Amino acid sequence: MAKRGADRGALMRSAWAVLAVWAIYCAVRLGIHPLIGWQPVGPDDWTRLLQVRALLDGQSWWDGTQYRMNPPDGFSMHWSRLVDLPLALFITLFGERWGMALVPLFWLLPALFALRSIMLRLGFSNAAMGFGLVILPLFPLLPGNFAPMRIDHHAPQAVFALATAALMLSPRRWGALGAGAMAAIWLTISIEGLPLVAMVAALYGLQYIAEERRLLPWFLLSLTICAALLAFSTRSNLELFGAYCDILRPGHIASFGVAAVVAGMVPFLPFQQHAAGRTGALVLIPLAALPFAFSFLGDCASNPMAGLDPVLASWWHGYITEGLPFWKQPVSVAAMLIWTLIPLVGGFWLAARGGAFADGAGMGWVMLFVLALSAWGYSLFIMRAAVIAQLLIIPFAAVTLALLLPQARAIPSLLPRLGATLGCIFLATPVFVSALTKPLDPLFPTPTMARGAAAPIATGECEFAELDALAPGLLLVTMDSAPEILGQTRHSVVAASYHRNQEAMVATIKAFTGEIEDARSIIANYDVDYVVACLSAGDLGLYRTASDDNFANALASGEVPNWLTPVAGFESGVLRVYRVD
């Protein structure tokens, strides 16, 4: 019996357990996905598909231009080609539909292996290991980001963040080198990870203060070299040395290099035998690197969105839910973000109380806790950071369940046992808090809910594929609908929701929110062929609130000016199309 239990325990901690959990998850997701559909999920997923299609059709690796947005010149996307690679490979091997279905599930596999590595490093029990591998669906933001057809960059960047955390816990030099490489990929995909990567460096510094482990220089050295290689192998020189603030720039990389050099010198400075001396020496790193960063990066050092047009700030950026702080979120989303702290703090306290910090594991627990806490705090200001935070908090939730559920199940009476069991699960995940507070959302409307705040015009989906029956032309359409139109037709659009195309984005917003004659001038300036209105689109509803007699309301009512001619087949219904005379 003991041998059988030991065998089960060994299996639970093995790579086979990860593969089994992943295979079951894939089978379930692929089994239910036909009920959802086989199209990209949102505008960013459509645009990612457009990027990959262009790459496979021969567009240069260093050219991320979307030529069908604001043609003929288009504009350069800020996205990294690194995310295109697995998608391009899977589409080549399995076709477009299966490529989009399998790639998000592929990203889940390294995430589960990173979780396994974290739990092994921290000495998890077999029960906690099991919970850590299976509770991912109980974190609201995670299942959707690892679902078929969800091909944007949020899952990959979260996976590399988790891999950075896993390697950070290694006591060896190769772990620090690996963490630096993973952090470099993370930043290449999204510069938004910079505050958390800085926290990883600070935690290596904490490790040096407490335990004299000299891993920080190796982390920074690897970060510098890998960031340079990735930046120069995925971006053109024009982009790297241009005015863009939204990517990893040479100024960032040079600052990493300065920090690495100073960190390498720190152990050889005086008074390093004392913790106070080590602390003082580490202060030299930011003192050297930060002035260098601000000198070379300017406004880009503090604000990747520096230079955003006020019109976009008012009518676009302020309505992107994933980029807003918790106090601008619906109640259910805010509750989810805040409650995520409970399993983090609870799991850390229970682990400490249960003796998990013994045998030298305490520093690892502290480092993971501080990084997860930082990600949680970051998510309160930028909601999409909660994807990383929820992944990092899974180990703490697993400890909570492993330690509390057996006590709850040991209660003799049925009702108290049931209540305690549900209470344990409630404490370990924000999913129930989010669900319970969902009915409160309409009672406390937020700016993000203003999309579609005007009186409903129509319900149902717009079938944009029908537009492909028209002769190819340039379309003026609200920006959320634009990527799907590009994905399903041969048309081009004036703009979509990507900030490097600011002039065309501002023109599109002004056309729909302004007076009819203003719209006519903009349409003539861009030589637009068709005006398209999806009457169920949230952004069209938002633009209608600008004024009663604006262009968006004219399209919604069907009372269009005489220089627009309804296109046959699109005179009524949810999708309206007008030819510009």
Side-chain angles (χ1 to χ4, degrees):
M1 184 71 70
K3 183 178 184 301
R4 213 167 17 228
D7 290 342
R8 283 197 297 268
L11 180 62
M12 185 63 68
R13 307 171 78 83
S14 71
W16 291 109
V18 173
L19 293 172
V21 169
W22 177 71
I24 293 170
Y25 183 90
C26 292
V28 171
R29 291 300 317 206
L30 291 173
I32 65 175
H33 209 79
L35 302 175
I36 302 171
W38 295 100
Q39 298 285 6
V41 179
D44 282 354
D45 303 290
W46 278 106
T47 303
R48 177 64 65 186
L49 178 60
L50 294 172
Q51 292 284 97
V52 173
R53 282 179 178 174
L55 180 65
L56 293 176
D57 286 342
Q59 188 166 317
S60 170
W61 169 265
W62 286 276
D63 182 9
T65 303
Q66 275 293 323
Y67 289 101
R68 291 170 63 203
M69 297 180 188
N70 192 16
D73 296 330
F75 69 97
S76 173
M77 288 288 292
H78 65 286
W79 289 351
S80 172
R81 282 292 195 197
L82 292 180
V83 182
D84 295 342
L85 276 176
L87 189 57
L89 174 62
F90 275 61
I91 286 176
T92 301
L93 293 176
F94 305 109
E96 190 170 277
R97 173 183 289 185
W98 278 104
M100 291 189 293
L102 294 175
V103 162
L105 299 174
F106 158 80
W107 284 117
L108 178 62
L109 187 59
L112 291 175
F113 271 108
L115 285 171
R116 172 180 176 266
S117 175
I118 289 171
M119 292 186 291
L120 288 174
R121 291 281 180 200
L122 298 182
F124 274 41
S125 67
N126 294 333
M129 289 282 295
F131 281 122
L133 293 178
V134 302
I135 62 173
L136 182 144
L138 294 182
F139 286 81
L141 296 181
L142 301 185
N145 277 285
F146 292 101
M149 322 308 287
R150 191 66 172 172
I151 56 175
D152 68 10
H153 61 275
H154 295 305
Q157 74 185 44
V159 169
F160 285 107
L162 189 64
T164 302
L167 288 162
M168 177 187 71
L169 300 181
S170 170
R172 300 180 182 277
R173 187 179 299 172
W174 68 262
L177 292 170
M182 295 299 102
I185 299 173
W186 176 9
L187 293 179
T188 303
I189 294 173
S190 176
I191 195 63
E192 281 184 357
L194 190 57
L196 294 180
V197 172
M199 179 54 66
V200 173
L203 289 171
Y204 273 115
L206 175 65
Q207 194 178 55
Y208 176 62
I209 293 171
E211 299 180 347
E212 296 189 65
R213 291 189 181 175
R214 302 180 180 185
L215 297 178
L216 176 60
W218 298 104
F219 170 76
L220 291 172
L221 177 64
S222 176
L223 174 64
T224 304
I225 294 174
C226 293
L229 290 173
L230 289 168
F232 284 94
S233 63
T234 59
R235 304 280 185 184
S236 67
N237 289 338
L238 179 64
E239 189 176 13
L240 284 173
F241 294 97
Y244 302 122
C245 292
D246 51 14
I247 61 172
L248 193 62
R249 294 168 57 88
H252 294 110
I253 299 166
S255 300
F256 300 158
V258 170
V261 170
V262 178
M265 296 167 56
V266 161
F268 302 99
L269 296 177
F271 310 113
Q272 296 306 289
Q273 67 273 27
H274 304 295
R278 294 193 292 272
T279 302
L282 288 174
V283 174
L284 296 175
I285 298 174
L287 288 179
L290 289 179
F292 196 89
F294 281 100
S295 174
F296 279 84
L297 292 170
D299 291 340
C300 293
S302 58
N303 182 13
M305 296 295 287
L308 189 67
D309 189 283
V311 172
L312 298 182
S314 298
W315 287 98
W316 172 65
H317 196 258
Y319 295 95
I320 301 176
T321 303
E322 66 181 35
L324 295 178
F326 80 94
W327 59 86
K328 293 186 178 181
Q329 302 289 347
V331 173
S332 60
V333 177
M336 173 197 69
L337 295 173
I338 295 170
W339 190 267
T340 305
L341 180 65
I342 302 298
L344 171 60
V345 174
F348 184 72
W349 179 76
L350 287 169
R353 186 167 170 262
F357 292 5
D359 301 324
M363 179 54 67
W365 277 97
V366 170
M367 292 175 72
L368 184 65
F369 174 76
V370 173
L371 182 59
L373 184 65
S374 301
W376 172 79
Y378 197 16
S379 74
L380 297 183
F381 294 91
I382 300 178
M383 179 264 194
R384 56 177 164 259
V387 178
I388 296 172
Q390 290 187 4
L391 277 175
L392 290 171
I393 289 169
I394 283 178
F396 298 93
V399 168
T400 300
L401 291 173
L403 293 178
L404 293 186
L405 270 181
Q407 298 179 41
R409 301 304 298 162
I411 297 174
S413 303
L414 176 61
L415 290 180
R417 181 169 69 248
L418 181 61
T421 300
L422 293 176
C424 291
I425 300 174
F426 191 84
L427 287 172
T429 169
V431 69
F432 298 111
V433 170
S434 179
L436 291 173
T437 55
K438 190 71 174 177
L440 299 177
D441 288 350
L443 303 178
F444 302 95
T446 65
T448 59
M449 298 166 67
R451 288 177 175 267
I457 312 165
T459 58
E461 298 290 331
C462 287
E463 299 296 335
F464 293 120
E466 297 175 358
L467 297 175
D468 202 39
L470 306 177
L474 179 63
L475 277 55
L476 176 71
V477 62
T478 58
M479 293 186 292
D480 285 352
S481 302
E484 183 175 353
I485 290 174
L486 296 181
Q488 301 220 57
T489 73
R490 297 163 293 164
H491 298 293
S492 300
V493 299
V494 173
S497 297
Y498 302 104
H499 60 271
R500 287 191 180 180
N501 193 25
Q502 287 198 42
E503 184 177 340
M505 290 175 68
V506 170
T508 298
I509 292 172
K510 285 184 174 181
F512 283 103
T513 60
E515 296 180 357
I516 292 175
E517 285 308 308
D518 293 332
R520 183 178 189 179
S521 176
I522 292 170
I523 287 169
N525 184 50
Y526 279 87
D527 198 18
V528 170
D529 297 299
Y530 303 98
V531 174
V532 176
C534 177
L535 300 189
S536 61
D539 47 0
L540 181 67
L542 174 63
Y543 298 154
R544 290 182 64 210
T545 64
S547 67
D548 291 336
D549 58 351
N550 65 10
F551 189 52
N553 276 303
L555 295 171
S557 65
E559 299 176 0
V560 298
N562 57 13
W563 44 271
L564 291 180
T565 301
V567 174
F570 299 96
E571 307 97 325
S572 61
V574 67
L575 182 60
R576 307 286 177 87
V577 184
Y578 302 92
R579 183 176 287 105
V580 180
D581 295 332

